[in-house]
Every structure is written in C-alpha cells, then in structure tokens.
Amino acid sequence: MSVAVATAALPGARLGERGRALVVLLSLPLFYACFGLTWMGFVPVMPEITGAFGVERASGALLITVISMAKSVVPILAGVVAARLGLRRTLLLAGALVVVAGAAPFLPTWGALVAARFVLGVGGAVWVTLLGPAGLAVLPSSWRPVANAANGIAVNLGVVVALAVTLPLASMIGWQWAVSVGTLGAALCLLLTASVGPFGAPPAPAPIGDTLAAYARTLKLRETWILALAFSGPLALYLVLNTFLGQHLEAAFALPRATAMRWLVWLNLWGMPASLGAGFLLARVWRSPKPYLVVASLLLPLAVAGGVLAPTDGLRALAFALAGLGMFLPVSPLITTVQQLPGQTPGALGMILGTMFAVTYVVSSAVPSAIGPLLAQGMSLSTLLIAAGVLGATPIAGLLLRSRSA
C-alpha cells in the first residue's frame, strides 16, 4: 500500500502513460516555439534596440548570432549532462535558463544584453537537443514521426508569430515588453513539462569516464556526421534569410519594413505544413526518408534564388512558399531515421543530436556573421543570399543514413 501511495504522489502519476505522452507532445515543442518567439522577436524592432543602446545597426546581428554561438558548444554537453542527471531534470534546468534570460530587454547595458542572449541560447540549445530523446523515452513509436515534425517546426512557429506581431505590439506597449511575450509562454510550458514526472527510467549511476566513453562511441558512428551535414545547410540558410532577407527586400524593392516582415512571415509559415505533412506521411504512407530528402535538396536552392530576384508579388509569394516547404521537409525524416537505428536509446540519441547540433550551429553562426563584412566590402546582398541558398542542398546527405525501410 505504501508503495502505491508513494507512486501516486509522483508528479504526473495521475495522468497515465497516454496523458503524459500528450503533455510531452504539446508542451515540449510549444516551449521551443516560445524560445523562437524570444529569439527572432528582436529582428522587427532591431532599429529601436540598437538605437536604445547606442550601437550601429549592423551590430544588432550579434543579438541573433550569439544564440547560435551558444548552440555551437552547449549541445555536446547537453547529451552528456542528460545521461548523468536524466532527461527531465536537464530539460527543466534548460527551461529555467530560457525564462530567466527573458529579462534581457530590460538590462541596462549592451554587454549585459548580449550576455543574456547567450544564456538564452544555452537553454535553447539544451532543450532542442533533448527533444528527440524525450520523444524516444515517453512517446509511442507511432507518434514519433509527428512529434519530430512538431519539434522541427516549433521554433519556426515562434518566428512566424514574432515577425507578425512584434512590430505592431511594440507600437502599443513598447519594444521591451513586445519582445518579452515569449517568456511568459515559456514559463507556462515549463510548468506543464514539470508536471509529467520522470521521462523514462532514471539513469543508472556510472563513473563520468563511462559516460564520456559512451559519448566517444557516438562520435565514431557515421550517422552522427551524416546527420550533422544534412542539417547544417538548411539551418545556416534559415538564419541568413531571417536576419538579412528583410533588409534586402527593403533596399532592392523599396518595400516598407512592415511589408518586408510580412514576406518573412510568409516564408516561415510554409515550413509548418511541410514539416507536419512529412511527419504524417512518414508515419502512414511513404515510410522511406528518400523522397523527402531529394525533393527538399533540389527545391530549396532554386526557390531561394527565385524569391530573392522575383520582381512581382505573385512570383515572390510562390518562390518563398516553395522555399519554406523545402527548408522544413527533411526534419522529421532525418530525426526519425536516426531514432530507428538498431539498439537506439534516449541517452545515445541525446549524444548523437548533441554533436549534430553543435556542428550545425557552428556553421549557422559563421555564415550570417560572414555576410556583414562582405557587405561592407561592397558585395551585393542579393548575390550573397542566392549563394547561401546553395546550402539548402545538404539534406541530400541523408540518403546515406540506414533506414528501417531500406
């Protein structure tokens, strides 16, 4: 009797396994969407932010890329820490960092603002690294392709909301409060995540040397590096477009800033049906990842070039819709394939994804950071954007992954 009472007292025990799975399916991607809202909410009001802190507008890109810089190191640690502390504890710690960093807009100095954004990146890096392992630990196998799709578009959902509402909201309540909306949503999702109890069995006590040896074994897996290559290009391109595309549309086509932001919303919006559709199709219809990867790798570079050069709204709408589709189509097929590797465990998956995210964020922080100096040297922004579009072809590397249907 005492064991039963103690079990019932555990967080999430009364939800049942299906109820816990539903909470995880919803709260984890929604938290990351709120992170995305906080991350990219700075883009529409960047002139106001840089003006308030007395820095050049070009320096504002640091507030976006510093988060990618954090994500270039932290994911490796995330997998190792989760193997020691457990998934739930590590996720809650990461979530707390994101919520605390939400105070960044109210800090008094530019240095403090940049530092807080780095902390935000640390929390977000750990959270996104552990989304796949959490799904492997808690969700039924038939749910995982859809969960991976939802996780893949979560940050994009936040970006869409940020680009759509931040500017009008800032005119009503000020830019500081406008970019803080995501923090409130993140806090709520964090409470929901805390309510479900442990994510699978707690990790068995083991010497740190054994944990590091397990991580070293994942570095020897070809799938780790194939996955890193496949994701690097689209993520770098994603950050380039969200940071610089609005600036290009304003300068090249004399579009008002609000109109340029709407085109960014349009591009990001199409990533959601692409990723979710791929997840449902992968679970029910075409279980092989190959068609999704081939279509995305061919479509994305062409669509980006078309959107950058399109002289009319109609052509621009078509090109950016196809770019959004191509960018997010490979997410669920890639992650689901690695989840299905023989003998895969949440701990090992966390380490694989930790390396993958570290590599992809090194690339994704380097590419946008390189564009500023190239612009200063007189290179055309449209040329740079089209060149970055070629990076969208790297998901083709995913054809080298072993798949269950192969």
Side-chain angles (χ1 to χ4, degrees), residues 261-398:
M261 289 302 106
R262 284 196 290 271
W263 281 115
L264 281 177
V265 169
W266 177 256
L267 186 153
N268 282 279
L269 190 64
W270 283 91
M272 288 185 276
S275 187
L276 288 174
F280 280 106
L281 290 173
L282 193 65
R284 302 294 181 186
V285 185
W286 297 305
R287 298 179 185 273
S288 169
K290 293 180 180 179
Y292 309 94
L293 302 180
V294 171
V295 170
S297 298
L298 295 175
L299 179 63
L300 187 50
L302 296 174
V304 168
V308 168
L309 300 175
T312 66
D313 285 349
L315 291 175
R316 196 174 295 131
L318 176 61
F320 286 157
L322 293 175
L325 288 168
M327 194 173 296
F328 287 88
L329 195 62
V331 174
S332 182
L334 288 169
I335 298 295
T336 303
T337 300
V338 178
Q339 283 178 329
Q340 293 172 346
L341 290 176
Q344 188 65 278
T345 66
L349 181 61
M351 294 177 187
I352 291 172
L353 294 182
T355 300
M356 182 274 283
F357 279 115
V359 172
T360 57
Y361 277 103
V362 166
V363 174
S364 69
S365 61
V367 174
S369 297
I371 288 182
L374 293 173
L375 287 174
Q377 294 176 15
M379 290 193 67
S380 164
L381 182 53
S382 62
T383 300
L384 291 171
L385 291 174
I386 292 171
V390 177
L391 294 171
T394 65
I396 201 72

Side-chain angles (χ1 to χ4, degrees), residues 217-278:
R217 287 194 292 272
T218 67
L219 294 179
K220 297 177 181 179
L221 295 174
R222 62 196 291 269
E223 286 80 9
T224 300
W225 302 104
I226 292 170
L227 198 65
L229 175 60
F231 271 109
S232 289
L235 183 58
L237 176 59
Y238 177 81
L239 291 181
V240 166
L241 292 178
N242 280 294
T243 304
F244 292 103
L245 182 58
Q247 181 179 335
H248 163 71
L249 295 175
E250 290 179 53
F253 301 102
L255 298 181
R257 193 186 348 159
T259 302
M261 289 302 106
R262 284 196 290 271
W263 281 115
L264 281 177
V265 169
W266 177 256
L267 186 153
N268 282 279
L269 190 64
W270 283 91
M272 288 185 276
S275 187
L276 288 174

Side-chain angles (χ1 to χ4, degrees), residues 8-79:
L10 290 173
R14 296 181 181 178
L15 290 173
E17 288 304 311
R18 186 175 181 85
R20 293 177 70 247
L22 283 170
V23 172
V24 169
L25 184 65
L26 294 173
S27 65
L28 267 63
L30 284 175
F31 180 96
Y32 200 53
C34 292
F35 167 83
L37 175 55
T38 305
W39 183 3
M40 288 296 173
F42 277 41
V43 171
V45 292
M46 194 64 76
E48 287 80 1
I49 296 172
T50 53
F53 286 91
V55 299
E56 296 291 331
R57 183 175 178 181
S59 300
L62 180 61
L63 298 177
I64 306 301
T65 58
V66 73
I67 294 173
S68 297
M69 293 174 190
K71 290 186 171 188
S72 67
V73 177
V74 173
I76 292 176
L77 302 177

